[in-house]
Amino acid sequence: EVDFLSVFYKPSLERLGYSVIFQKKTFFFSFEGCLIAYKKTMFKEGEILYLELDKVLPAATEKCGNVATFVELKSLQHGFTLAVVNTHLFYKPEAEDIRFGQISFILNKLAEWEGKKKPNGTLLCGDLNAFPKSIPIRRIYNSGNLPELAREGHSPKVNQYLGEYPGKVTLKSAYEKYQYKLKGIPLEADFESDLEARLGGHPNYTCYGNEGEEMLDYIFHSETISVTKILKIPEEKLVKLETALPSTIFPSDHLRIEAIIQINVQYCLLYTSPSPRDATLSRMPSSA
């Protein structure tokens, strides 16, 4: 999420050869919004879907102004397609039920999008305002007994939102192995099936404001995408150099996260051979 779009982000990115897609939050006085940018020499823009999350949560007790942007990108060189989703969920700490409803709606729409578009890879990114072990993040992992959590009082409207938006998408977090790699701890053989280990592997913080450290920002990806590198989170002593964020070193209370990814696409080459009487027209390569 960004502000200062017209005076900084848009002209700066366009000078670097990027095309900019921006969706402003729905509060009339807001200049903030969700931005997705892509290199024009690498991708072609397909369908774009703009979601206003206030319109899809009739059970929400207050309006939030949050949005989500879906973009279909096609590789100009390789032909694969990506579904890219960017969002910013509601910020109030006590509003976990609203965030759960928002992410459930986004996942439900993403399941429909994948069914229709059949992308080779999917990315879901943003400031989700949710800790790794919260039920909105568990909802993304499609794991855990979510209705049982609701009965325990964590989020009273979980059952309702699950019923309204039941769609599922298989995603994993680019930063779920962060703590293990940082500390040199080997992963257990059952890591992929151990939800608590995966949730616990995230950084301690991506936001460091006056209320302390909070892990709120995520890059989720489909299983057809491999993460080759991630950006290291700055050490706490540097983040706390001026008490908290923002500071003269870091201009936002949120820290940058970044992942270098690889799309795992299998191509099927189909050759046709003519009748034996017309062997000179064969399209089958001699090395096949």
Side-chain angles (χ1 to χ4, degrees):
E1 186 186 66
V2 301
D3 48 17
F4 300 106
L5 176 76
S6 60
V7 298
F8 179 71
Y9 285 102
K10 192 172 189 291
S12 299
L13 287 166
E14 288 178 343
R15 279 196 298 269
L16 295 172
Y18 286 84
S19 183
V20 174
I21 299 165
F22 179 77
Q23 182 182 10
K24 192 176 82 68
K25 295 175 73 173
T26 54
F27 285 141
F28 71 93
F29 56 83
S30 175
F31 296 100
E32 301 173 355
C34 290
L35 182 150
I36 296 174
Y38 63 89
K39 205 70 177 277
K40 290 187 286 188
T41 56
M42 297 179 63
F43 292 99
K44 179 182 179 181
E45 183 182 302
E47 184 177 348
I48 303 176
L49 177 64
Y50 298 106
L51 301 180
E52 296 180 5
L53 300 184
D54 280 345
K55 294 182 177 180
V56 298
L57 293 184
T61 55
E62 61 181 301
K63 299 301 180 182
C64 314
N66 300 109
V67 297
T69 309
F70 288 54
V71 179
E72 177 187 25
L73 296 178
K74 183 174 183 178
S75 168
L76 296 174
Q77 182 178 359
H78 302 290
F80 64 79
T81 58
L82 283 176
V84 182
V85 183
N86 184 21
T87 191
H88 181 198
L89 302 186
F90 194 41
Y91 72 96
K92 287 190 176 180
E94 68 274 13
E96 192 168 80
D97 60 330
I98 296 179
R99 285 189 291 277
F100 184 88
Q102 289 177 331
I103 199 63
S104 293
F105 176 78
I106 290 169
L107 292 171
N108 198 67
K109 187 62 68 174
L110 183 54
E112 295 175 2
W113 182 284
E114 287 190 337
K116 174 185 175 183
K117 296 291 185 179
K118 309 290 189 214
N120 299 108
T122 297
L123 294 168
L124 168 61
C125 315
D127 173 5
L128 305 186
N129 275 312
F131 301 139
K133 295 193 176 185
S134 66
I135 56 173
I137 303 304
R138 292 177 185 273
R139 175 68 173 90
I140 297 174
Y141 274 95
N142 283 318
S143 302
N145 193 335
L146 298 175
E148 185 63 34
L149 287 174
R151 283 193 289 272
E152 292 174 4
H154 291 281
S155 184
K157 295 172 183 170
V158 166
N159 288 325
Q160 177 181 342
Y161 290 136
L162 277 176
E164 293 175 354
Y165 311 118
K168 293 184 178 181
V169 181
T170 302
L171 299 172
K172 58 200 309 184
S173 171
Y175 275 79
E176 65 183 23
K177 300 177 183 177
Y178 184 84
Q179 293 285 3
Y180 301 97
K181 292 184 177 181
L182 184 68
K183 299 174 183 178
I185 302 173
L187 298 177
E188 299 292 338
D190 63 346
F191 177 80
E192 292 295 331
S193 61
D194 187 343
L195 175 62
E196 299 307 315
R198 295 170 74 183
L199 296 175
H202 286 84
N204 291 329
Y205 55 85
T206 57
C207 175
Y208 211 110
N210 292 326
E211 297 179 359
E213 59 182 38
E214 298 175 309
M215 171 64 199
L216 304 176
D217 305 275
Y218 299 85
I219 301 171
F220 284 96
H221 60 91
S222 60
E223 293 183 332
T224 55
I225 291 177
S226 298
V227 175
T228 59
K229 289 183 180 180
I230 56 174
L231 186 68
K232 185 179 178 181
I233 304 297
E235 294 182 5
E236 190 171 13
K237 63 181 180 181
L238 183 60
V239 173
K240 293 176 63 177
L241 203 57
E242 297 176 20
T243 305
L245 302 182
S247 67
T248 57
I249 304 172
F250 302 102
S252 171
D253 58 338
H254 287 256
L255 295 163
R256 171 181 159 203
I257 60 173
E258 178 182 331
I260 298 176
I261 62 172
Q262 176 178 308
I263 314 297
N264 305 318
V265 180
Q266 293 183 348
Y267 294 96
C268 177
L269 300 181
L270 177 64
Y271 296 102
T272 59
S273 291
S275 164
R277 292 173 295 177
D278 196 10
T280 57
L281 297 179
S282 175
R283 294 171 60 191
M284 182 74 74
S286 58
S287 60

